[in-house]
Amino acid sequence: MAKENLFLKKAHQMGLLDSEEVAFMADVKCSNGNAGRAWFFLNENLLFLYEPLGLADFGECIETLDLNQTRFVKGSGFIFYTYMTLSADDLTYRFQNFAQGKRVVALIQQRCKG
């Protein structure tokens, strides 16, 4: 019998995930000088950035990117070097070192419309 994933359940209850269940942790750098590690959740065309509380929980929302207003600059799902660069509101975001690289990059690229 499969165990219920409480992390994903919490994210669904908060409206952070759609049916694709894309949740990943990555290193992020922004052109405004902010940098660090964060949890990312994809729900339709919104990408939510949350502060990590360990490896299995998340805290406060840091930022929300509307992918309708975001441009996918470049990315790679190569297993040993996953990254993607997004541009929104005159800021550039670079995400690195995340799991499910090929899947995540493809979905984000598909949903960016800016």
Side-chain angles (χ1 to χ4, degrees):
M1 177 167 33
K3 286 189 174 185
E4 183 178 36
N5 186 324
L6 298 177
F7 180 83
L8 293 179
K9 181 179 179 180
K10 177 181 174 182
H12 272 293
Q13 289 172 342
M14 293 178 66
L16 301 176
L17 294 175
D18 56 23
S19 61
E20 294 285 345
E21 292 191 334
V22 174
F24 61 98
M25 186 180 274
D27 297 319
V28 62
K29 291 181 185 175
C30 183
S31 59
N32 67 4
N34 291 340
R37 192 143 179 85
W39 276 107
F40 297 87
F41 301 95
L42 181 63
N43 187 345
E44 299 300 326
N45 290 324
L46 295 176
L47 184 64
F48 299 96
L49 289 74
Y50 272 77
E51 70 175 342
L53 296 178
L55 295 174
D57 200 6
F58 53 95
E60 298 294 317
C61 182
I62 299 168
E63 193 165 350
T64 302
L65 294 177
D66 181 354
L67 298 183
N68 288 322
Q69 308 298 319
T70 303
R71 185 172 61 90
F72 183 89
V73 178
K74 61 183 172 178
S76 170
F78 180 63
I79 192 167
F80 295 116
Y81 186 58
T82 54
Y83 76 91
M84 64 183 162
T85 304
L86 305 178
S87 177
D89 297 325
D90 297 327
L91 295 173
T92 302
Y93 299 84
R94 181 163 174 95
F95 308 92
Q96 294 182 176
N97 306 321
F98 50 91
Q100 303 179 43
K102 187 174 181 180
R103 178 175 177 251
V104 168
V105 169
L107 278 169
I108 300 289
Q109 184 174 18
Q110 175 187 4
R111 294 186 185 185
C112 283
K113 306 219 180 354

